[in-house]
Amino acid sequence: GAGVSQSPSNKVTEKGKDVELRCDPISGHTALYWYRQSLGQGLEFLIYFQGNSAPDKSGLPSDRFSAERTGGSVSTLTIQRTQQEDSAVYLCASTTSPRGNTGELFFGEGSRLTVL
Amino acid sequence: GENVEQHPSTLSVQEGDSAVIKCTYSDSASNYFPWYKQELGKRPQLIIDIRSNVGEKKDQRIAVTLNKTAKHFSLHITETQPEDSAVYFCAATRGGSQGNLIFGKGTKLSVKP
């Protein structure tokens, strides 16, 4: 499809395990965002990429969280030594940044992470 | 860094009434202010946005107003319908025109038939 694709859609893991969440943005979109949404809560910013670089990673909650983007396309969010408070839906979004300006964000369906 | 405050957190209106949601932001460099609608179990989708060179923008029953001096912007929905029921998020850029988007905590709007 032509939309933002995220995988896995659901992930159940045990406390202390590492997880990797993948985001495949819309082709040609230069900017990519990761947000976290806990049950009934807002969109908590995690990290933002322009191309392969991350001008703003201030939202990462701790050093257990990291993200990378390669080839200006796919991004991976890694959570090491997961904790129960990491349970949430992790949303990825991408945009074209037309004329250098922030444009409409297109969100993926999200990856629901449950840490037991 | 940018902080976006959104009020109210919940809003209940009768069908046909108007609904207003307000947001304030802290970064004076912010110049792009979108609004997203998230229906239950679905992904957020853009419904309207405004850039800092205009004070108001309308799209059918939806309008957004911006007051840069006061650093606040509002979403107005007129003639509400049950299908308007959703969570609405405001956002503002951090770091100028090509920057990160910081979201408010959301407003759950319920439109009663």
Side-chain angles (χ1 to χ4, degrees), chain A residues 83-98:
Chain A
Q83 304 293 312
Q84 288 182 331
E85 60 262 29
D86 299 335
S87 296
V89 175
Y90 290 81
L91 287 164
C92 175
S94 69
T95 186
T96 56
S97 293

Side-chain angles (χ1 to χ4, degrees), chain A residues 96-111:
Chain A
T96 56
S97 293
R99 299 184 298 280
N101 294 317
T102 303
E104 177 178 1
L105 263 59
F106 293 86
F107 283 86
E109 296 278 11
S111 291

Side-chain angles (χ1 to χ4, degrees), chain B residues 6-11 21 86-88 105-109:
Chain B
Q6 183 171 348
H7 301 280
S9 56
T10 60
L11 179 59
I21 302 170
V87 178
Y88 291 81
K105 291 193 181 299
T107 296
K108 184 176 180 180
L109 174 64

Side-chain angles (χ1 to χ4, degrees), chain B residues 21-105:
Chain B
I21 302 170
K22 298 182 179 182
C23 288
T24 60
Y25 61 98
S26 59
D27 187 350
S28 57
S30 297
N31 63 1
Y32 175 63
F33 309 92
W35 288 86
Y36 283 77
K37 175 183 180 182
Q38 186 176 31
E39 296 177 359
L40 189 63
K42 297 191 175 181
R43 69 188 85 184
Q45 291 190 304
L46 179 72
I47 54 170
I48 195 168
D49 58 10
I50 192 168
R51 298 193 187 270
S52 60
N53 55 344
V54 297
E56 183 176 4
K57 185 176 178 181
K58 282 186 179 180
D59 182 2
Q60 299 182 348
R61 297 186 295 108
I62 294 172
V64 58
T65 59
L66 171 66
N67 183 328
K68 283 219 74 178
T69 303
K71 294 184 189 168
H72 66 70
F73 56 113
S74 302
L75 178 71
H76 304 254
I77 307 174
T78 58
E79 301 171 28
T80 53
Q81 301 166 5
E83 51 265 38
D84 294 330
S85 297
V87 178
Y88 291 81
F89 294 97
C90 64
T93 48
R94 179 165 71 192
S97 61
Q98 189 180 30
N100 188 12
L101 262 186
I102 302 299
F103 284 83
K105 291 193 181 299

Side-chain angles (χ1 to χ4, degrees), chain A:
Chain A
V4 177
S5 178
Q6 290 188 246
S7 61
S9 55
N10 270 289
K11 176 72 176 179
V12 180
T13 191
E14 293 180 346
K15 177 181 171 181
K17 301 282 189 184
D18 297 351
V19 297
E20 278 191 358
L21 307 176
R22 176 189 168 105
C23 173
D24 211 333
I26 293 172
S27 178
H29 280 195
T30 56
L32 185 149
Y33 303 75
W34 283 99
Y35 293 91
R36 177 167 73 174
Q37 188 169 36
S38 301
L39 187 62
Q41 299 300 306
L43 297 166
E44 178 189 3
F45 163 71
L46 298 178
I47 189 168
Y48 151 68
F49 289 92
Q50 266 293 345
N52 292 334
S53 63
D56 192 343
K57 56 179 80 170
S58 63
L60 295 176
S62 72
D63 58 9
R64 296 186 296 105
F65 288 72
S66 63
E68 65 175 13
R69 189 179 185 198
T70 55
S73 182
V74 172
S75 176
T76 302
L77 177 69
T78 301
I79 310 173
Q80 295 179 309
R81 305 181 302 282
T82 52
Q83 304 293 312
Q84 288 182 331
E85 60 262 29
D86 299 335
S87 296
V89 175
Y90 290 81
L91 287 164
C92 175
S94 69
T95 186
T96 56
S97 293
R99 299 184 298 280
N101 294 317
T102 303
E104 177 178 1
L105 263 59
F106 293 86
F107 283 86
E109 296 278 11
S111 291
R112 180 178 298 278
L113 174 66
T114 303
V115 182
L116 301 176

